[in-house]
Amino acid sequence: MALTHRLATRDDIGSLEALVNLAIAELQKDFLSDDQIRSSVAIMGLDTQLIDDGTYFVIESDGQLAGCGGWSRRATLYGGDHSTTRDSALLDPMKDPAKVRAMYTHPGFTRRGVGRLILTLCEQAAAAEGYTRLELMATLAGEPLYRHYGFREVERIEDDRGGAPVPIVRMRKQIGG
């Protein structure tokens, strides 16, 4: 299976939103209750600022959408367009970590290198802009991938903005020289 990547455009939004909802609904089943999954949909999601910033990737396999994800030079750590905690302030690469954001894999493409490819693309792009650290907010389903890629836990929290509290993990990684 060959994976290809490209930057997302606003024309991709409909298919990306469908993928995000499918990934949350299916890939969180072993980790969250039905109420927590519904809360995750309310908390997480696509952030079109990443598309506009040119930092959001689409991963495809033979023309099929296999995954998506990106990085940000903005302060928001997680949450979609509908999130009330968004902060579009620009980060300082000399002191702030770039944010890895909105990573989702189609359930039919898990454990095939999609997540690793997104992380590699994010790390390379952030390093090219002078960032020396990455930070992300991991779901419990995504935590093993991030640990394997070198991220370390900073803190565990529960986000209850969607109703039922959803456990998530803040993680960081050093990058570059």
Side-chain angles (χ1 to χ4, degrees):
M1 176 185 81
L3 296 174
T4 60
H5 68 277
R6 62 179 173 80
L7 288 175
T9 69
R10 284 204 160 255
D11 291 339
D12 294 313
I13 290 174
S15 58
L16 292 172
E17 287 176 338
L19 170 65
V20 167
N21 290 332
L22 178 63
I24 291 171
E26 293 299 317
L27 301 180
Q28 297 296 326
K29 284 182 177 178
D30 290 341
F31 301 92
L32 303 177
S33 70
D34 290 344
D35 286 342
Q36 288 173 312
I37 290 172
R38 281 189 289 280
S39 286
S40 290
V41 171
I43 296 167
M44 303 299 179
L46 185 62
D47 183 345
T48 55
Q49 181 70 63
L50 302 174
I51 294 172
D52 294 342
D53 286 347
T55 60
Y56 201 67
F57 301 101
V58 171
I59 308 300
E60 296 172 318
S61 176
D62 296 324
Q64 288 188 297
L65 183 57
C68 56
W71 71 282
S72 182
R73 56 183 79 87
R74 297 182 185 276
T76 299
L77 180 55
Y78 69 101
D81 284 347
H82 57 278
S83 178
T84 59
T85 59
R86 290 167 47 106
D87 181 352
S88 62
L90 290 172
L91 301 169
D92 178 352
M94 303 320 280
K95 66 177 184 167
D96 300 314
K99 312 300 184 192
V100 174
R101 302 279 318 283
M103 281 186 54
Y104 298 96
T105 300
H106 187 287
F109 289 92
T110 58
R111 305 195 61 76
R112 296 186 187 185
V114 173
R116 177 168 282 283
L117 176 56
I118 293 168
L119 289 170
T120 299
L121 293 168
C122 291
E123 183 173 338
Q124 290 171 346
E129 289 196 19
Y131 287 91
T132 59
R133 292 176 295 148
L134 295 176
E135 182 176 56
L136 57 79
M137 193 61 88
T139 63
L140 298 184
E143 183 181 6
L145 166 67
Y146 303 131
R147 281 193 188 285
H148 189 262
Y149 195 79
F151 282 85
R152 299 292 171 246
E153 179 180 325
V154 174
E155 68 176 332
R156 290 182 179 270
I157 66 167
E158 288 188 338
D159 188 328
D160 62 359
R161 289 177 294 151
V166 176
I168 47 181
V169 184
R170 181 187 297 256
M171 303 180 84
R172 287 194 188 123
K173 178 186 179 186
Q174 292 291 128
I175 62 171

